[in-house]
Amino acid sequence: MPRTRGLTSEEMAVMHALVLALALLALVCIPALVAAMICADELVHWLAAEWDARRVRRREQRALDHLERALHAETGFGGFDPAELDRPGGPAIEQIAADLRRLGGERLGPWQSSRSGHGDLLRAYDERLRLASRYLGVAEHLADLDGVDREIERVRVEGELEAAGLMLHQAGRHPYPEW
C-alpha cells in the first residue's frame, strides 16, 4: 500500500494564508455587493430618467425641424423671423395656443349645464384648432366631419400640433392618460 505524504508546515502555512486572503476578500466584497443590490433601483431610475430626457430632446428637435420646414415652405426662406408668425388680421400663435389650453381644459372639465353651451365650446375649440393648423401647416378635416369621426380627428389634430411644437396642455398634465 502506497504511503501518502502529509502536508509540511510550510505548505500548511501557505494554505492558511490563502484561506485567510479569500476570507478577507469575501468580507470586503459582500457588503459592496449588498450595497450595489440596494442601489440598483436608483440606478435603474436614473437610467430611465436619462432615457426620457433624451427622448424629449429628440422630440423637441423634431418639432423645431418641423417648424423650420413649415416656415421655409411658407416664406420661401429658411431663416427664422418671429415677425412672420404674427399675421395681419388674425391672432398670434401664442394667443391661439393659450385659447386652446383654456378651452381644452373647459372642454374636458365637468359638463356644462346645457348641451348647447358645450356645443358652443366645442365649436370655439375646433375653430382654434383649425387656426393653429393653418399657422403650422398641419392638415385637418374638422369642418368636414361630425360625431365620433370629428372627435377622432380632433385628437389626431391635437397630436399633430403637439408634434409640431405647440403646447396644448399644461406640462405634466395630459387629458388622455394613455399618451
Side-chain angles (χ1 to χ4, degrees), residues 85-143:
L85 293 178
D86 293 328
R87 303 194 180 183
I93 190 69
E94 295 86 2
Q95 182 60 46
I96 294 172
D99 290 346
L100 282 169
R101 284 190 288 273
R102 180 182 51 81
L103 292 169
E106 291 175 17
R107 176 179 69 98
L108 296 170
W111 286 86
Q112 299 199 358
S113 59
S114 69
R115 298 289 273 157
S116 66
H118 188 70
D120 292 340
L121 181 67
L122 284 178
R123 280 187 289 284
Y125 186 74
D126 289 347
E127 177 58 34
R128 290 301 184 189
L129 281 177
R130 284 194 293 273
L131 273 172
S133 295
R134 272 185 258 142
Y135 271 55
L136 297 177
V138 172
E140 57 84 17
H141 306 285
L142 289 166

Side-chain angles (χ1 to χ4, degrees), residues 11 17 20 40 48 58 75 78-80 84 88 93 97 115 118-119 128 131 141 174:
E11 292 171 336
L20 182 62
R58 282 192 313 261
T75 62
F80 178 72
E84 288 293 318
I93 190 69
R115 298 289 273 157
H118 188 70
R128 290 301 184 189
L131 273 172
H141 306 285
H174 204 285

Side-chain angles (χ1 to χ4, degrees), residues 39-50:
C39 295
D41 64 335
E42 291 179 22
L43 178 64
V44 168
H45 288 296
W46 178 79
L47 288 173
E50 283 296 315

